[in-house]
Amino acid sequence: MAPLPQDSLKHIVSLAKRRGFIYPGSEIYGGFANTYSFGPYGAELKKNIKDLWWKTFVHRRRDMVGLDGPILLHPKVWQASGHLDNFNDAMIDCKACKARFRCDHLIEAALNQSADAMSLQQMTETVRNNKVKCPKCGAQDFTDARHFNLMFSTHMSKTGQEGDTAYLRPETAQAIFIDFKNIIDTMRVKIPFGVAQIGKAFRNEITPGNFIFRVVEFDQMEIEYFIRANTWEKTFEDWLASMHAWCKLIGLKTDRVHEKEHPQELLSHYSRRTVDLVYDFPFGTSELYGLAYRTDFDLSRHAEFSGQLLTYTDPETREKFTPHVIEPTFGVERTILALLCDAYEEEQLEGGEMRTVLHFSPLIAPVKVAVFPLMKKEPLADKARMVFDLLHERWNCEYDESGAIGKRYRRQDELGTPYCITIDFDTLENDTVTLRDRDSMKQERILISKLIEELNAKINN
Ligand code: GAP
């Protein structure tokens, strides 16, 4: 598959804003770095992704339950999880212009060399010895590299006085681990089983960027799948296959999705094996999702720090043990970015005209059907509104009667709407409409009475 052109990202960013998918955060105040707002179509897209994910991994499986835990967890959670000690990036500041960089990114960009395995001292020396220049001002005068914890902190006021420092969760996972006991006490779950959660996570990323790829506030869709230790390898492979199947289901081109094994020395503090699903973004191949074998690290640590028993008792043998965990994790913003990159096309039509189209799968498209009267006059408009009312009950539909019909099609192409229906003079004669397919642009005539059945089969949702 041809790589996405590097400059396609800027066209995607522009379309996303122009068509109401994604706006820069706090724009009327001059923007607020690396925050974004999902506009009306972006909100629909996001909701469709989350709903489909929940349906796929919770409702359609018998071994899964859901959870909706809090963003603010007891501060001890982050001691136990290791995030207070280990969830760091190395940062470095330019002494001349005060710009701050992630040191590994600075080294990689300047020297085309990986800094993943370097200590802070090695990074400092690499920057100095190679006379790396500040990408902002060109000076060669940096501070030493030092650790920077990525968790956002805030304060909980308990008795009217400033209370303990609390942290906005940097991953949704911990809420699942600390409710493990509640779940096994209240639900009839049997190992192997999983707990799924969708929610916000926050990271004070030093050098965010590439549009919504790395942001400070994002949604995660995570699963903690509890198993017996001796089944971890097979369960890991099963989840890897399920993650690939998900990419296919949402319509990503499968040859743009690859696996990247983390080398042992670079594994997160909790993981014994991690494989990322990476996607060929226009700015390079980068992490889309992750799959980790977290062992019994989290449950054991929470048992130790809370003093509670976080074990599972086998209902047949009465054997007690601490389950191990396989964790598939999916970022919603990265899903949206990959979908936008994958679906975006500037297509040259016969006759030389260009059209921009988003080839979204009908499963996740924000608008499923658009209904147009050929002209904004009665009785065409009245009939079109009747067809719209019929379909609007089932799917998110749009009604549009303004402007030339060609322009209305182009607008829906840019929104990724898979089907457009036009009501014309023949409709008044024989109750048929034209049904236009976004990708082929072919139109077929179809009886209004057959529309729901036909669209049901096509949209499959
Ligand atoms: N619980 C494991 C965990 O949080 P992670 O690889 O750090 O693992 C999981 O994050 C997923 O969250 C990533 O694969 C990515 O999709 C998404 N993600 C992580 N940091 C992000 C950021 N700053 N902006 C947007 N998405 C992010």
Side-chain angles (χ1 to χ4, degrees):
M1 163 113 339
L4 290 161
Q6 268 193 359
D7 71 345
S8 59
L9 188 62
K10 79 170 187 263
H11 298 291
I12 289 162
V13 174
S14 149
L15 173 88
K17 165 116 201 259
R18 181 160 45 87
R19 284 295 178 215
F21 282 96
I22 302 169
Y23 309 128
S26 309
E27 203 179 9
I28 62 165
Y29 288 101
F32 196 47
N34 306 301
T35 63
Y36 290 89
S37 182
F38 284 81
Y41 295 113
E44 288 294 333
L45 182 60
K46 211 177 201 192
K47 186 173 180 313
N48 292 346
I49 293 165
K50 290 183 189 176
D51 288 352
L52 184 62
W53 187 88
W54 197 263
K55 208 187 263 182
T56 306
F57 293 114
V58 183
H59 291 173
R60 290 188 180 150
R61 294 180 61 125
R62 293 174 62 186
D63 55 348
M64 297 282 303
V65 292
L67 182 78
D68 187 3
I71 285 170
L72 293 170
L73 306 177
H74 195 287
K76 270 196 182 167
V77 168
W78 308 111
Q79 275 173 19
S81 70
H83 282 81
L84 269 174
D85 291 335
N86 299 309
F87 199 53
N88 298 313
D89 275 343
M91 68 172 178
I92 195 161
D93 294 337
C94 169
K95 286 188 190 162
C97 74
K98 312 288 177 222
R100 176 165 290 176
F101 303 96
R102 241 177 86 167
C103 203
D104 54 341
H105 288 178
L106 183 75
I107 292 171
E108 273 161 31
L111 308 173
N112 201 15
Q113 171 187 349
S114 169
D116 284 350
M118 288 186 193
S119 65
L120 287 177
Q121 195 183 343
Q122 285 168 325
M123 287 194 199
T124 305
E125 283 165 10
T126 306
V127 170
R128 296 234 166 98
N129 297 345
N130 291 283
K131 298 196 170 13
V132 170
K133 285 188 181 156
C134 169
K136 284 256 166 70
C137 74
Q140 296 175 350
D141 192 11
F142 285 99
T143 60
D144 287 354
R146 60 206 184 281
H147 276 142
F148 174 81
N149 194 289
L150 295 184
M151 285 196 292
F152 277 104
S153 58
T154 184
H155 290 278
M156 287 279 266
S157 182
K158 287 178 190 150
T159 52
Q161 299 166 336
E162 281 293 279
D164 288 341
T165 301
Y167 299 92
L168 305 191
R169 63 183 181 196
E171 61 170 5
T172 57
Q174 295 305 323
I176 298 179
F177 294 124
I178 64 171
D179 265 331
F180 174 77
K181 187 168 160 24
N182 279 330
I183 289 170
I184 52 171
D185 286 350
T186 55
M187 307 300 292
R188 293 191 190 134
V189 284
K190 270 197 196 159
I191 285 217
F193 73 91
V195 183
Q197 185 175 209
I198 300 179
K200 289 273 185 204
F202 301 82
R203 294 184 191 179
N204 201 352
E205 302 275 7
I206 301 165
T207 48
N210 284 328
F211 194 31
I212 55 168
F213 178 80
R214 185 171 284 110
V215 281
V216 292
E217 173 185 338
F218 51 99
D219 278 291
Q220 288 186 322
M221 306 184 287
E222 294 202 295
I223 293 164
E224 305 307 322
Y225 197 76
F226 298 97
I227 54 167
R228 283 178 176 272
N230 61 2
T231 63
W232 82 265
E233 277 159 314
K234 160 131 184 33
T235 316
F236 197 96
E237 292 310 320
D238 289 349
W239 273 108
L240 206 48
S242 300
M243 293 176 82
H244 280 291
W246 162 258
C247 292
K248 197 166 169 205
L249 177 72
I250 59 174
L252 288 181
K253 295 185 184 72
T254 47
D255 37 11
R256 287 203 180 127
V257 179
H258 320 279
E259 291 176 13
K260 185 178 165 211
E261 181 90 37
H262 285 215
Q264 285 295 313
E265 66 279 13
L266 298 181
L267 288 174
S268 306
H269 61 277
Y270 52 73
S271 178
R272 195 175 296 167
R273 184 181 177 203
T274 299
V275 173
D276 286 343
L277 287 198
V278 294
Y279 177 82
D280 297 329
F281 289 101
F283 45 85
T285 301
S286 302
E287 178 184 346
L288 176 62
Y289 304 141
L291 178 64
Y293 171 36
R294 290 182 84 126
T295 67
D296 59 352
F297 175 85
D298 300 272
L299 287 182
S300 300
R301 293 274 293 188
H302 287 305
E304 183 189 331
F305 279 68
S306 67
Q308 302 281 324
L309 204 61
L310 299 182
T311 51
Y312 171 84
T313 307
D314 186 297
E316 266 107 58
T317 63
R318 309 309 298 164
E319 178 201 356
K320 267 193 192 347
F321 62 96
T322 305
H324 280 225
V325 170
I326 302 289
E327 178 195 64
T329 172
F330 307 68
V332 178
E333 277 69 9
R334 290 202 189 164
T335 308
I336 292 176
L337 185 57
L339 284 169
L340 284 170
C341 294
D342 219 68
Y344 183 89
E345 189 189 9
E346 288 173 19
E347 189 184 359
Q348 172 130 38
L349 304 176
E350 279 172 28
E353 198 203 336
M354 295 295 290
R355 74 161 180 158
T356 302
V357 54
L358 288 176
H359 297 282
F360 285 144
S361 154
L363 281 178
I364 54 106
V367 179
K368 312 293 186 204
V369 188
V371 179
F372 314 142
L374 184 64
M375 281 185 274
K376 186 181 176 175
K377 65 176 195 184
E378 303 305 346
L380 288 175
D382 194 39
K383 189 83 177 168
R385 277 191 294 269
M386 187 212 88
V387 172
F388 172 78
D389 287 343
L390 182 75
L391 304 178
H392 191 50
E393 296 264 303
R394 291 168 186 260
W395 297 289
N396 191 31
C397 298
E398 282 210 343
Y399 176 82
D400 188 3
E401 58 181 21
S402 48
I405 193 89
K407 284 221 167 117
R408 283 182 264 164
Y409 283 140
R410 293 290 168 271
R411 179 170 183 275
Q412 294 300 329
D413 288 343
E414 290 199 347
L415 295 179
T417 306
Y419 301 104
C420 291
I421 288 169
T422 303
I423 280 73
D424 56 18
F425 292 103
D426 285 353
T427 314
L428 305 176
E429 304 273 302
N430 58 17
D431 247 18
T432 63
V433 294
T434 64
L435 179 63
R436 173 193 183 261
D437 179 281
R438 174 198 63 207
D439 297 342
S440 67
M441 293 192 292
K442 291 220 169 78
Q443 302 192 12
E444 55 175 315
R445 279 213 87 84
I446 171 164
L447 275 168
I448 293 176
S449 58
K450 293 267 177 219
L451 263 181
I452 289 186
E453 190 185 328
E454 184 77 14
L455 286 169
N456 235 342
K458 288 179 189 288
I459 294 169
N460 187 23
N461 192 6

